[in-house]
Amino acid sequence: MSVGEMLAATVPMARTLDLEFVETTPERAVVVLPDQSAFHNHVGGPHAGAMFTLGESASGAIVLSAFGDQLARAVPLAVSAEIAYRKLAMGAVTATATLGRPASEVVAQLDAGERPEFPVTIEIRRGDGAVTGEMTVVWTLRPNG
């Protein structure tokens, strides 16, 4: 099962929004929110809450891709999130997430008995390529036990 399939199967909100996990690697995650009138705002574009969920889901996909091999000893948890809406989003929008620190540094902290925190940055773009939103989600790997 791919990371995208796993998220769609285990995260009800991802299923509700019908998110499409296009690419999920340790280097990058790309997730699409299709244009759906049920999730439009008052101007006919995707609702801000749907765009937030899109970005957070993309961040979760890259975290699982980069640190899936650590799940036996640590739980990934979002610590905080910040989003900026830059331009009007219309139609389908695509979120692209990247890790803000090398995964090896995060794992080294976990190996040292620490609870590492690391940012994931996300750009949300509409079909013409314009950036409609920028987001940062700070994650941690909480050691088990």
Side-chain angles (χ1 to χ4, degrees):
M1 181 180 290
S2 73
V3 168
E5 291 169 335
M6 182 177 68
L7 284 170
T10 60
V11 180
M13 200 60 185
R15 283 193 313 276
T16 297
L17 291 178
D18 199 24
L19 298 181
E20 299 170 11
F21 293 84
V22 176
E23 179 182 343
T24 54
T25 70
E27 292 75 38
R28 184 169 102 133
V30 179
V31 183
V32 175
L33 171 65
D35 186 23
Q36 302 167 84
S37 61
F39 304 113
H40 282 177
N41 59 20
H42 62 289
V43 294
H47 188 277
M51 288 180 32
F52 182 94
T53 301
L54 168 69
E56 194 276 341
S57 296
S59 76
I62 197 169
V63 168
L64 287 176
S65 293
F67 303 108
D69 60 342
Q70 304 299 317
L71 295 180
R73 67 181 185 148
V75 176
L77 298 169
V79 174
S80 64
E82 183 176 304
I83 191 166
Y85 301 100
R86 300 289 183 208
K87 291 189 177 193
L88 182 62
M90 298 299 281
V93 288
T94 302
T96 302
T98 56
L99 285 178
R101 288 180 55 201
S104 59
E105 285 182 11
V106 175
V107 172
Q109 274 191 279
L110 192 60
D111 289 342
E114 299 173 27
R115 182 175 169 165
E117 288 190 5
F118 54 94
V120 175
T121 58
I122 305 103
E123 277 192 342
I124 302 172
R125 295 180 180 269
R126 60 186 185 210
D128 66 1
V131 175
T132 62
E134 295 171 322
M135 186 173 182
T136 300
V137 180
V138 175
W139 287 82
T140 188
L141 295 179
R142 185 190 73 199
N144 294 334

